[in-house]
Amino acid sequence: IPSGGLTDMCRKPVSPVHVSSVSDWLVSIGMPMYSAPLLAAGFDTLDHVSFLNEAKAREAGLKEDRHIRILLSEAQLVTASSSG
């Protein structure tokens, strides 16, 4: 079912300082529905999110190409902010 931009509307601006878990991160980018699949696939810390790639996202059960692209883009930002 197409979301018609609902994901963007649900995005909650959260300071990176307040993002301390994968669930918090997913809420902050408007994709809390992927919390269970990513946690089950071993992405249970923000450090592990840095290893997320398209193949691993698909293995976790994600199917929506646009959502995968957004998650990968946002994962790079998490990685950059945690290393910088």
Side-chain angles (χ1 to χ4, degrees):
I1 299 173
S3 67
L6 289 177
T7 301
D8 295 332
M9 291 172 33
C10 293
R11 178 184 284 249
K12 295 180 180 180
V14 176
S15 166
V17 174
H18 294 107
V19 176
S20 59
S21 70
V22 174
S23 295
D24 288 346
W25 171 66
L26 289 167
V27 168
S28 76
I29 64 171
M31 299 203 171
M33 66 284 225
Y34 295 121
S35 184
L38 290 176
L39 291 173
F43 296 98
D44 53 356
T45 68
L46 293 174
D47 287 338
H48 292 155
V49 167
S50 66
F51 297 104
L52 185 64
N53 60 35
E54 184 176 351
K56 291 178 181 179
R58 292 192 185 280
E59 287 173 16
L62 284 67
K63 294 177 177 38
E64 189 73 36
D65 290 338
R66 180 173 176 263
H67 289 185
I68 292 171
R69 284 193 304 270
I70 292 168
L71 283 169
L72 296 179
S73 173
E74 294 289 341
Q76 289 177 345
L77 296 175
V78 167
T79 303
S81 69
S82 66
S83 65

